[in-house]
Amino acid sequence: MEKERYDLTGSLLEWYDYNKRILPWRENKDPYRIWISEIMLQQTRVEAVKPYFDRFMEALPEVEDLANVDDDRLMKLWEGLGYYNRARNLKAAANKVMEEYGGKIPGDYDALLSLNGIGAYTAGAIGSIAFDLQVPAVDGNVMRVLARIWGDESDILKEKTKREMGKRISAYIPKDRPGDFNQALIELGAIVCVPNGKPLCDQCPWDTICKAYKEDKIDQLPVKTPKKSRKIEYKTVFLLETDDMVALHKRGQKGLLAGLWEFPNLSCRMDMESINEQVKNWGIQADQMEPAGKGKHIFSHIEWHMEGVKIHLEKEQPLEDFQWVTKKSLENQYALPSAFEIFRKLL
Ligand code: ADE
């Protein structure tokens, strides 16, 4: 075991020291920065996260700023990253840190786990990177690497597999560099043992250890049972506009995209006749109506297939459930989910 541990841990850390990317959240061990980066990285690639991360840190440099931020501003900072509940959880957790931990992010694994939006992976990442705790941080990318090196055919979409891999890899986490070890595994998954396409096995520090490589099973691992197919929801999206204003609707406080602004829409396909009918029901006078764009947006469990219609009014007219805002304010004030981006461009 000792020799195996040296081979596995030592070769990985040596590889990491030469190959790690310079990233803004690796500049220091500030737990706040590491926490924010980990939450952002759960949804998007490293390159895409960088500008969001820099902007977020400039706007909200301390936990206290996050705890006090206005909800609309927070949504604006998160706009485009998706999964807005993650941003809401960040703020709720920041409040908890202010109230229960005197404004300091706790350096204890269970305390981290008790914060909103922090699960086993994130607690492991923050705990090991910021506080040198010898705990694993196993996400989908790390599971891919581990399934391959161990030739493990367990289904990596199962929570049980994640727990078991976490336990097994824990034996290799070194006392002096737990955060580097976990980040090295993540890095290996991101740049060598890649998810799509052929992994770069000739550059892997574990090429002599890797079971899948030795047994020519790279293509078969990791095992993932197919997910249930997503439900499709058709939508008609209304771009109700004047020359410089547009009508928005605020979504309810529960469910998908809760509390966010959107263009008014109905969950059905509509022909021009039923659109006319709807316009009449709203009691508005349109001076022009035309189809405007089509879009598809994929969430984890549902797909929206959307068709837009642009309805021009000479002047804003009162609408019960909608609010007129300037088109300009969509740029800096109202956060629109990226599902609606293609329609915003048509205003
Ligand atoms: N993905 C998740 N966590 C990461 C980290 N700390 N560095 C780079 N990519 C990551």
Side-chain angles (χ1 to χ4, degrees):
M1 177 71 182
E2 270 316 307
K3 175 161 171 13
E4 190 198 350
R5 174 155 39 209
Y6 172 75
D7 284 348
L8 203 135
T9 306
S11 56
L12 180 66
L13 285 173
E14 200 171 296
W15 172 86
Y16 183 63
D17 289 338
Y18 279 102
N19 293 284
K20 72 174 171 217
R21 290 169 292 181
I22 295 170
L23 300 172
W25 49 90
R26 289 184 179 165
E27 279 166 15
N28 55 41
K29 287 174 124 184
D30 177 351
Y32 176 62
R33 289 170 69 86
I34 290 160
W35 171 35
I36 302 300
S37 71
E38 288 298 339
I39 300 297
M40 288 185 172
L41 286 160
Q42 281 166 26
Q43 36 210 68
T44 319
R45 291 169 307 108
V46 163
E47 283 312 310
V49 162
K50 281 188 197 167
Y52 281 100
F53 179 80
D54 290 338
R55 192 178 63 165
F56 196 98
M57 283 302 145
E58 207 174 304
L60 309 172
E62 310 273 348
V63 183
E64 189 174 2
D65 304 312
L66 174 57
N68 294 327
V69 69
D70 175 77
D71 285 347
D72 281 341
R73 179 143 185 256
L74 178 62
M75 291 303 115
K76 195 70 201 162
L77 285 166
W78 207 259
E79 184 184 40
L81 278 172
Y83 295 98
Y84 291 82
N85 267 341
R86 292 196 173 146
R88 273 188 261 274
N89 276 334
L90 279 177
K91 180 174 163 178
N95 275 297
K96 193 163 176 182
V97 169
M98 295 309 296
E99 284 156 22
E100 294 180 21
Y101 298 98
K104 273 181 90 121
I105 295 170
D108 171 84
Y109 184 78
D110 288 325
L112 285 168
L113 259 187
S114 78
L115 297 174
N116 316 54
I118 297 192
Y121 165 78
T122 314
I126 303 171
S128 63
I129 302 170
F131 298 108
D132 285 327
L133 303 181
Q134 254 176 307
V135 287
V138 177
D139 68 356
N141 290 311
V142 168
M143 280 198 275
R144 178 178 59 257
V145 176
L146 298 181
R148 285 177 174 162
I149 61 153
W150 291 328
D152 185 336
E153 291 176 9
S154 320
D155 178 357
I156 67 159
L157 295 179
K158 294 219 166 101
E159 279 303 311
K160 180 165 176 252
T161 307
K162 190 184 274 192
R163 277 196 307 275
E164 284 176 354
M165 285 186 167
K167 261 193 222 149
R168 190 167 171 194
I169 197 64
S170 290
Y172 299 92
I173 302 175
K175 211 174 174 165
D176 56 338
R177 299 179 65 188
D180 281 349
F181 180 83
N182 283 335
Q183 288 201 85
L185 264 176
I186 293 168
E187 200 80 339
L188 194 61
I191 63 184
V192 172
C193 201
V194 292
N196 303 308
K198 237 182 152 30
L200 312 172
C201 299
D202 57 339
Q203 294 176 32
C204 183
W206 283 345
D207 60 343
T208 54
I209 299 169
C210 182
K211 229 171 158 182
Y213 183 56
K214 285 195 277 194
E215 294 174 9
D216 204 12
K217 283 192 182 158
I218 292 286
D219 291 343
Q220 283 115 274
L221 290 168
V223 172
K224 283 191 205 180
T225 43
K227 280 195 193 150
K228 278 199 221 129
S229 59
R230 279 186 288 263
K231 188 176 146 214
I232 293 179
E233 186 172 311
Y234 293 97
K235 278 189 177 290
T236 304
V237 177
F238 296 91
L239 303 176
L240 293 163
E241 61 163 13
T242 65
D243 286 347
D244 46 26
M245 306 284 277
V246 62
L248 293 186
H249 169 251
K250 196 167 186 148
R251 291 178 67 86
Q253 290 303 328
K254 287 235 144 66
L256 188 66
L257 305 176
L260 295 182
W261 292 95
E262 64 181 356
F263 294 123
N265 60 81
L266 290 173
S267 294
C268 57
R269 269 175 159 157
M270 294 168 85
D271 56 17
M272 267 308 179
E273 198 181 319
S274 36
I275 289 170
N276 264 314
E277 194 68 23
Q278 182 61 51
V279 166
K280 245 200 242 155
N281 280 344
W282 280 327
I284 52 176
Q285 290 287 328
D287 58 20
Q288 214 182 337
M289 265 198 310
E290 57 180 357
K294 285 186 185 187
K296 184 156 109 177
H297 194 81
I298 298 178
F299 300 94
S300 49
H301 298 98
I302 196 165
E303 287 183 19
W304 282 358
H305 292 207
M306 299 169 285
E307 286 185 11
V309 55
K310 197 187 240 189
I311 300 176
H312 190 272
L313 319 181
E314 203 183 336
K315 204 173 161 318
E316 307 94 79
Q317 296 166 28
L319 280 160
E320 206 174 311
D321 297 325
F322 309 150
Q323 182 167 325
W324 287 99
V325 306
T326 61
K327 290 180 183 174
K328 188 102 190 80
S329 68
L330 289 184
E331 281 163 31
N332 51 23
Q333 193 178 343
Y334 292 92
L336 272 189
S338 33
F340 294 101
E341 185 57 25
I342 66 132
F343 299 107
R344 167 158 59 176
K345 287 190 189 136
L346 302 175
L347 288 174

